[in-house]
Amino acid sequence: MDSSEKINNPADISVIVIYFVVVLAVGLWAMLSTNRGTVGGFFLAGRSMVWWPIGASLFASNIGSGHFVGLAGTGAAAGIATGGFEWNALIFVVVLGWLFVPIYIKAGVVTMPEYLKKRFGGRRIQMYLSVLSLLLYIFTKISADIFSGAIFIQIAMGLNLYLAIIILLGITGLYTITGGLAAVIYTDTLQTIIMLVGSIILTGFAFAEVGGYEAFMEKYMQAIPSNISYGNITIDPKCYTPRADSFHIFRDPITGDLPWPGLTIGLSILALWYWCTDQVIVQRCLSAKNMSHVKAGCITCGYLKLLPMFLMVMPGMISRILYTDTVACVVPSECEKYCGTKVGCSNVAYPKMVVDLMPNGLRGLMLSVMLASLMSSLTSIFNSASTLFTMDIYTKIRTRASERELMLAGRLFILALIGISIAWVPVVQSAQSGQLFDYIQSITSYLGPPIAAVFLLAIFCKRVNEEGAFWGLVIGLAIGLSRMIAEFAYGTGSCVNPSNCPKIICGIHYLYFAIILFGISTIIILGVSLITKPIPDVHLYRLCWSLRNSKEERIDLDANEKIEEPESNDDVSEQGDEEQGCCKKAYNWFCGLNQKKGPKLSKEEQEAIEKKLTDTSEKPIWRNVVNINGIILLTVAVFCHAFFA
């Protein structure tokens, strides 16, 4: 690639610098104006968020740079069906806000494993889920996002991959570690605005370049690379001709690359896991002021999720029209020349378009957009992962940790995560780009369904008990892992060199596999629960749907495990304040540890606060407003699917 395309002109560089200054300023403002010296403040933004930052933050945490690279790449290779992944979420944000969050709030929980512990008792499910979630974060979200962000920086600036990654993670880690969830949510809102503005401008340039929508549909079907043979081997036409069903979301159930039953049912199972039980997403909703703000935030996110089809998938397809030989290359040696991997170069579709189409200044804006999406999804994951670690794992190791110790543990854990993520990048680099987006989706389909089954049944079927849930999770994990390991051992192959994994293991499409796995897990959970004894209602008030409105007092299953409060060291800190050195004071201020403790609350005040935190009542007028909007959103979802079906 010639150096003239790289970002080295003053306009671009100044845009990027301004962007980083603004982000750090917003982060600092959020850091100073919110309470982050308590566990509730750092991890739940003090339950004070209003709807629009929640909606923007849900969207930004979901759309990482993996989406820009992955959706555009898959779009370039296979047409619009990948957009269905995004539109499926329209339905599940409604399910989240109306069915799941009210239960989580009534249960009064901070993390998802904590909910399962209240619902089922025992420790093993909570530990299992915490550890599994952390592994999923590291191996799918963090590594894939870092990798795709780095591809982008490499193409645009010609920096060394690792240098780029370390700079990125440094800035990201800085404000997550210091600012807590409020800083993350406010910076996310800013990133969302930048992402949308930048990608809308790029989409405009792209359609202008192709000559409008009609021309785009026509030219895409003719985007065939010029070089289609090497040595004396001629490549099968189906490897390089655009699919006949490129402009349909629903495809043939047997021969389609995203079969329609898989896209409707299989994907819904993954969406249930991701949108309704994933710590990153639910934590945003739990930080809301009240139930109406939760629902309005979910609706905002739903409307934003309409856009990726037009802002990422279609521009990816246009990239194939404009740079056919690069994006749609099939000859392994050619592909290696263009983008360093033999499997195919569809992943460079979006970055290449940014670097080639955008004028100076705007190109800097688009790079900022990529950094924005990368940083916002990373900060969300860092904050949620540290919440999981501190609340679910660390408190088991140190049962009497003080609030201050928990805050420090969470912050140190983020540093450890950053280290692991950097170490994992070479692995993702070698699971090269032909497989990046498939890698995320397929790992999710092998590990997500059992978790989705447990949460769904925990909330809607009060007969389910701890034994059922535990065995469902364990056997489901074993089945999922066996498929995942087989697939990695044989490799997924490419169209030119297919993988030789036995049909019986790898022949089932991963979305079909998700359906089967979900079914098996459900049967095991229900079966084992029915032959073991049920949990008495007294432990389940307000923890499942049928008992959600009961007013009676719930006796938590873990009530006898409650640890006595850590002895407070208030008096120590009172006198220590005067003697602290400047460095210590600055450090405490930086980490938000010096915020004065309020007066000790009486038992009645404590109960009043708890009642407020678990309150899900809404003002009738706002309840009707959000309900009507929810119905409109579902109608829009059905219309979009039907229009492009």
Side-chain angles (χ1 to χ4, degrees):
M1 187 165 125
D2 58 293
S3 58
S4 66
E5 292 175 359
K6 299 243 165 83
I7 294 191
N8 52 10
N9 55 333
D12 285 337
I13 291 170
S14 49
V15 168
I16 294 173
V17 171
I18 293 169
Y19 164 74
F20 275 113
V21 171
V22 174
V23 166
L24 283 174
V26 170
L28 278 168
W29 169 77
M31 190 171 134
L32 295 178
S33 63
T34 55
N35 165 21
R36 57 207 170 84
T38 65
V39 173
F42 185 78
F43 293 130
L44 284 184
R47 288 262 160 103
S48 61
M49 282 289 157
V50 288
W51 61 273
W52 54 272
I54 294 175
S57 180
L58 283 171
F59 179 72
S61 336
N62 167 243
I63 300 279
S65 48
H67 272 76
F68 277 99
V69 171
L71 280 175
T74 315
I80 66 171
T82 354
F85 279 90
E86 299 303 296
W87 286 353
N88 198 281
L90 295 177
I91 297 161
F92 280 86
V93 286
V94 175
V95 174
L96 167 73
W98 270 257
L99 303 182
F100 282 78
V101 174
I103 300 280
Y104 297 145
I105 291 183
K106 285 187 164 146
V109 293
V110 179
T111 69
M112 297 296 89
E114 191 188 345
Y115 168 75
L116 288 186
K117 180 165 180 248
K118 280 199 168 173
R119 170 70 175 79
F120 294 122
R123 293 229 169 129
R124 49 190 191 170
I125 293 185
Q126 187 188 13
M127 287 299 277
Y128 167 95
L129 195 66
S130 310
V131 175
L132 186 65
S133 308
L134 288 177
L135 289 176
L136 274 168
Y137 285 158
I138 295 170
F139 297 140
T140 60
K141 297 186 179 157
I142 301 182
S143 49
D145 271 353
I146 289 178
F147 177 64
S148 44
I151 289 185
F152 215 92
I153 295 176
Q154 234 182 343
I155 288 188
M157 292 177 159
L159 278 180
N160 173 325
L161 193 76
Y162 288 94
L163 181 69
I165 287 173
I166 291 167
I167 297 173
L168 259 179
L169 287 175
I171 294 180
T172 312
L174 187 73
Y175 68 83
T176 321
I177 291 175
T178 50
L181 185 66
V184 173
I185 288 188
Y186 283 117
T187 41
D188 272 354
T189 309
L190 176 74
Q191 321 267 41
T192 305
I193 296 168
I194 296 177
M195 273 200 284
L196 292 177
V197 170
S199 46
I200 286 171
I201 294 173
L202 179 65
T203 307
F205 272 102
F207 273 108
E209 189 77 15
V210 176
Y213 190 75
E214 295 296 319
F216 152 65
M217 291 176 73
E218 194 178 316
K219 288 180 183 167
Y220 177 78
M221 299 313 280
Q222 297 153 4
I224 294 172
S226 51
N227 190 346
I228 51 174
S229 57
Y230 59 102
N232 50 5
I233 302 172
T234 305
I235 294 167
D236 182 355
K238 76 172 194 306
C239 292
Y240 55 80
T241 348
R243 298 181 59 94
D245 53 11
S246 289
F247 286 92
H248 301 288
I249 291 183
F250 293 140
R251 300 183 172 179
D252 189 280
I254 295 150
T255 58
D257 56 338
L258 284 175
W260 70 261
L263 200 68
T264 43
I265 305 166
L267 193 56
S268 299
I269 293 167
L270 304 189
L272 178 77
W273 168 76
Y274 181 79
W275 286 99
C276 303
T277 72
D278 186 75
Q279 180 68 24
V280 177
I281 299 294
V282 175
Q283 193 179 358
R284 305 262 158 313
C285 293
L286 294 181
S287 67
K289 256 185 179 159
N290 59 34
M291 212 45 234
S292 300
H293 281 289
V294 174
K295 293 178 178 176
C298 290
I299 291 170
T300 314
C301 174
Y303 283 125
L304 289 172
K305 289 288 279 178
L306 282 169
L307 300 171
M309 170 72 98
F310 307 105
L311 301 184
M312 292 168 208
V313 181
M314 288 183 179
M317 296 165 73
I318 293 177
S319 185
R320 173 170 179 150
I321 299 172
L322 301 178
Y323 317 110
T324 310
D325 284 346
T326 309
V327 175
C329 70
V330 280
V331 177
S333 55
E334 289 283 306
C335 290
E336 195 153 18
K337 187 178 81 191
Y338 290 130
C339 63
T341 166
K342 291 182 172 158
V343 196
C345 286
S346 59
N347 273 357
V348 299
Y350 205 86
K352 185 153 180 59
M353 199 148 64
V354 170
V355 176
D356 291 1
L357 269 190
M358 299 293 258
N360 292 349
L362 282 177
R363 195 180 299 140
L365 177 77
M366 276 316 287
L367 185 71
S368 310
V369 168
M370 294 307 298
L371 298 179
S373 68
L374 174 71
M375 284 169 54
S376 61
S377 48
L378 283 182
T379 44
S380 314
I381 291 165
F382 285 156
N383 184 276
S384 299
S386 76
T387 310
L388 273 177
F389 173 77
T390 354
M391 306 312 256
D392 290 334
I393 298 174
Y394 193 76
T395 46
K396 302 289 173 292
I397 305 167
R398 296 265 310 164
T399 45
R400 305 183 56 167
S402 63
E403 184 128 330
R404 177 179 190 138
E405 187 183 326
L406 289 178
M407 308 293 295
L408 280 175
R411 290 175 165 124
L412 289 172
F413 181 69
I414 294 178
L415 289 175
L417 263 188
I418 292 177
I420 299 173
S421 317
I422 294 178
W424 187 248
V425 168
V427 184
V428 181
Q429 233 179 326
S430 60
Q432 258 298 358
S433 51
Q435 303 166 22
L436 180 75
F437 206 58
D438 297 339
Y439 161 88
I440 304 175
Q441 295 301 346
S442 55
I443 285 191
T444 309
S445 353
Y446 305 150
L447 304 180
I451 306 178
V454 165
F455 272 96
L456 192 67
L457 293 170
I459 289 181
F460 294 106
C461 171
K462 68 176 197 193
R463 179 67 182 80
V464 170
N465 60 14
E466 200 267 353
E467 290 85 358
F470 180 73
W471 287 111
L473 283 172
V474 171
I475 296 172
L477 178 72
I479 299 172
L481 277 177
S482 58
R483 159 89 188 239
M484 187 170 112
I485 292 165
E487 212 163 86
F488 276 110
Y490 285 104
T492 42
S494 66
C495 182
V496 182
N497 313 315
S499 141
N500 52 2
C501 176
K503 262 280 184 277
I504 186 154
I505 305 177
C506 303
I508 304 172
H509 191 280
Y510 62 84
L511 290 174
Y512 285 155
F513 184 81
I515 302 177
I516 297 169
L517 183 54
F518 183 80
I520 295 175
S521 305
T522 309
I523 292 167
I524 294 170
I525 296 170
L526 290 173
V528 175
S529 295
L530 289 172
I531 53 175
T532 46
K533 61 178 204 285
I535 301 175
D537 278 4
V538 66
H539 299 306
L540 297 180
Y541 292 131
R542 293 179 303 287
L543 287 181
C544 49
W545 189 252
S546 55
L547 301 171
R548 66 187 185 282
N549 293 326
S550 69
K551 296 278 181 281
E552 324 192 15
E553 192 174 341
R554 177 176 75 233
I555 302 172
D556 279 336
L557 284 164
D558 51 358
N560 50 1
E561 291 178 19
K562 284 274 192 291
I563 313 116
E564 68 275 24
E565 292 291 305
E567 61 276 18
S568 60
N569 38 14
D570 292 346
D571 40 311
V572 191
S573 52
E574 300 290 307
Q575 41 152 55
D577 251 13
E578 289 74 49
E579 295 138 37
Q580 284 179 348
C582 304
C583 300
K584 180 84 173 134
K585 273 190 180 155
Y587 160 80
N588 276 346
W589 171 82
F590 187 65
C591 288
L593 295 172
N594 66 339
Q595 284 153 337
K596 282 271 186 284
K597 283 259 170 72
K600 216 159 169 52
L601 299 172
S602 67
K603 195 163 182 229
E604 290 77 35
E605 290 173 311
Q606 192 78 38
E607 278 170 4
I609 289 180
E610 274 178 19
K611 186 159 190 275
K612 180 178 172 286
L613 288 183
T614 55
D615 174 40
T616 55
S617 58
E618 300 175 73
K619 292 198 175 122
I621 171 168
W622 291 119
R623 188 176 63 216
N624 294 336
V625 169
V626 289
N627 286 348
I628 291 167
N629 268 301
I631 293 167
I632 296 173
L633 181 63
L634 292 175
T635 325
V636 170
V638 172
F639 171 77
C640 286
H641 277 97
F643 186 76
F644 284 100

